[in-house]
Amino acid sequence: HDQVVTTIDSVKDIGFKTFFVGFVCQLENKYLVKEHPKGKTNFYNLPSGKPIFGESISDALIRTFDENTGLKLKTNNFKYLCLHLKTIKTSSGEALFDDAFAIYEVRIKSKDKSEMKLQKQIKWLNLNKIKKLPNRWPEVDILIIKKDYSNYQTYEFTSDYV
């Protein structure tokens, strides 16, 4: 898959929150985490993607998880956890992203993990390594470190992504 490079000039205010699906995937005390090394500041968040207009959420979950991991799962591997509404601003206070983020737990087995073909920026990390990552986005702390699966959360934070 091609890597998309985002610059502040290419981020457009479309007037609506962008909807994403994201994944908490754990196996053998490790979690999938996505690194973003191309930004001005390297940061870490959950593997995720956007549903396509007209696409069912079930199909979007299967497709986006496959795009991130190279593993095509069935709908019953995904369990809805929670909804996060987040606004990401630059250090100068400029709104960069404004997202609705539906998070799903992904249930896999060791056999599934061995069949994965992860995107270059996605890694399996244990909890100790995750806690030491600089520039973690809030959902990593909330969902992986604190294991807070409250149905609904809203927050704002600063990241110089571009």
Side-chain angles (χ1 to χ4, degrees):
H1 302 276
D2 294 333
Q3 179 78 9
V4 176
V5 177
T6 306
T7 64
I8 193 73
D9 297 326
S10 69
V11 176
K12 294 185 178 130
D13 174 10
I14 58 169
F16 299 97
K17 284 193 178 292
T18 304
F19 183 72
F20 284 86
V21 292
F23 307 107
V24 174
C25 186
Q26 176 190 7
L27 187 68
E28 301 162 358
N29 297 317
K30 290 188 176 181
Y31 294 85
L32 281 180
V33 176
K34 188 172 188 176
E35 177 181 24
H36 295 268
K38 299 266 185 195
K40 185 175 172 183
T41 302
N42 190 9
F43 68 91
Y44 300 86
N45 66 3
L46 300 176
S48 62
K50 295 180 195 174
I52 298 168
F53 186 80
E55 179 181 40
S56 74
I57 293 301
S58 295
D59 289 347
L61 294 171
I62 293 165
R63 178 185 54 78
T64 56
F65 192 76
D66 181 37
E67 288 173 355
N68 280 276
T69 66
L71 186 63
K72 197 168 195 131
L73 296 172
K74 301 219 182 292
T75 306
N76 63 353
N77 289 93
F78 301 93
K79 177 188 171 201
Y80 173 78
L81 288 177
C82 53
L83 177 68
H84 287 200
L85 300 179
K86 61 181 180 177
T87 303
I88 300 101
K89 293 186 175 183
T90 65
S91 56
S92 62
E94 194 175 358
L96 187 58
F97 299 109
D98 195 6
D99 303 337
F101 194 42
I103 296 121
Y104 290 79
E105 175 186 24
V106 184
R107 299 173 183 155
I108 65 166
K109 297 183 167 102
S110 295
K111 176 185 171 291
D112 298 322
K113 183 180 175 186
S114 68
E115 294 174 2
M116 286 182 168
K117 294 176 183 75
L118 298 176
Q119 280 189 11
K120 185 171 71 170
Q121 69 270 29
I122 297 178
K123 314 232 180 313
W124 285 103
L125 298 175
N126 67 34
L127 200 54
N128 287 334
K129 285 191 178 177
I130 292 170
K131 287 178 181 178
K132 292 176 184 172
L133 292 174
N135 305 314
R136 296 184 309 267
W137 279 20
E139 61 265 24
V140 172
D141 286 0
I142 293 166
L143 297 160
I144 294 177
I145 295 172
K146 296 176 186 171
K147 296 190 183 329
D148 179 354
Y149 306 133
S150 301
N151 191 41
Y152 170 81
Q153 299 206 29
T154 183
Y155 47 88
E156 183 177 293
F157 69 102
T158 301
S159 176
D160 284 318
Y161 173 55
V162 294

